[in-house]
Amino acid sequence: MDELPIGRRVAYWRGRRKMSQQVFADRLGKSKSWVDKVERGVRRLDKFSVVYEIADVLQIDVQLLLGKDVERRPETQNCIDQVEVEEIRAALERYDQMSAFFHPVPVAPPLTEMRKAVSHAWLTYQHAKYGVLARKLPQLLRDAQAADSAHASGEEARDAAHLLGQVYQIASSALRKVGEHELSWLAADRSIAVSQRAGDQLLAGMASHRVGMALLSLGRIRSALEVNVNIANRIAPMTSEAATPERLSVYGLLLLTGAMAAARIGDSATVRDLVCGAEQAAGALGGDYNYYWTSFGPTNVELHRAAAAVELGDGGKAIETHNRIDPESFAAMLPERRAHHFLDIARGYTQLGDVEKASEMLLEGDRLAPAEIRCRPLAHEVISDVLRRTRGTPPAPIAELAEQMGVGV
């Protein structure tokens, strides 16, 4: 990448962001012809202000456009930067080390150590420490792949496959947060195959959930809906004996993800049916738990009910749902879930035109889990919307947050 002309770099990152030339041009306030000429090298980019604007639209560090090493700034140390994304990509691309057929099996850490490392990675993700996670993920992927290759059969082989399947899911979730949807889909898809070798239907169900989330982010909404609903139907507990807490949790989360896909296409009837099904599963579960890292339970159902209302454009219903959530149960949720909810409710308030309350929600989310607000492209869109709708000078706290996020006031 370093040796490419800047126009080619612009084209590369535009492609990575799944933007057409027209969409990219619209966001820059330029013509499609201007973008085409820049990317072909016919028009020079000789103004730094324009280069910085392009980097902002592409959500990358300007140094990457200039072909220089990225300087990691302290204020973004808990986000996943493009250098770390490329390191994760490189770990996912090591096909030669995924099988002993192609490469001597590297020395793998003991499975007891791997279990601790994977558990810590899940907690790091669920506490929205994305920068910390990103710096550990490449090595964790390599270690998990090595452990999977080192154990050919028996119980240890299933354990190693189970751990690798989890690491792929962690990578998928983290990559989706920062807009790397294709990589997120790849990691989730890998997890499905590995989960089959692990012999764990519920792990495969969670892998399907990650695939559905990646497809949803890629705009493949009907595919996301079908994946989640079809797999939910296959693992639905048909008897009281089958209704284990783990199965109820995975089943319920698949229904909730399906509801989010249905909301994206405006199918309110399907949203209602799927959320009701998840509500029944949560009732049978009897509380909020974190089986299979789902954070599933009655409170998470309400969080998804509010999020689905936002996707349907009904900010009022989202706010009503938010206001009736039990504060004590909400406070017990993990930071990523709560901050994500505050972001959803901020979107709901912007739909109602209440930028003051939307700002409050963004600031609440930032206090709770800064990376969930500062690192996500969606949050950048929301705070940009808040700034556009604010009359006069925005309040100091929201202006400061916007500056730290790199969003122009």
Side-chain angles (χ1 to χ4, degrees), residues 11-60:
Y12 171 80
W13 288 108
R14 176 181 61 76
R16 286 279 301 279
R17 293 292 178 259
K18 300 298 178 186
M19 291 185 203
S20 66
Q21 284 189 337
Q22 186 62 63
V23 169
F24 184 49
D26 290 345
R27 293 186 182 181
L28 282 171
K30 304 285 187 181
S31 68
K32 181 182 176 183
S33 173
W34 183 91
V35 171
D36 183 64
K37 288 177 181 177
V38 165
E39 292 185 348
R40 289 189 293 114
V42 175
R43 187 182 187 103
R44 294 180 59 188
L45 286 175
D46 48 12
K47 290 185 178 180
F48 277 107
S49 59
V50 176
V51 175
Y52 274 94
E53 189 175 359
I54 289 172
D56 186 52
V57 170
L58 293 175
Q59 300 265 323
I60 62 172

Side-chain angles (χ1 to χ4, degrees), residues 52 57 131 136 140 144 177 212 214 252 271 305 321 331 355 379 385 387 392 402:
Y52 274 94
V57 170
K136 294 180 179 297
L140 186 59
K177 288 285 189 182
V271 170
R305 196 192 303 274
T321 304
V355 294
D385 192 22
L387 293 173

Side-chain angles (χ1 to χ4, degrees), residues 332-353:
M333 298 290 286
L334 287 155
E336 181 271 337
R337 281 278 76 221
R338 285 185 284 159
H340 186 129
H341 176 68
F342 282 128
L343 178 56
D344 286 332
I345 299 306
R347 293 172 64 202
Y349 275 119
T350 60
Q351 290 175 353
L352 298 179

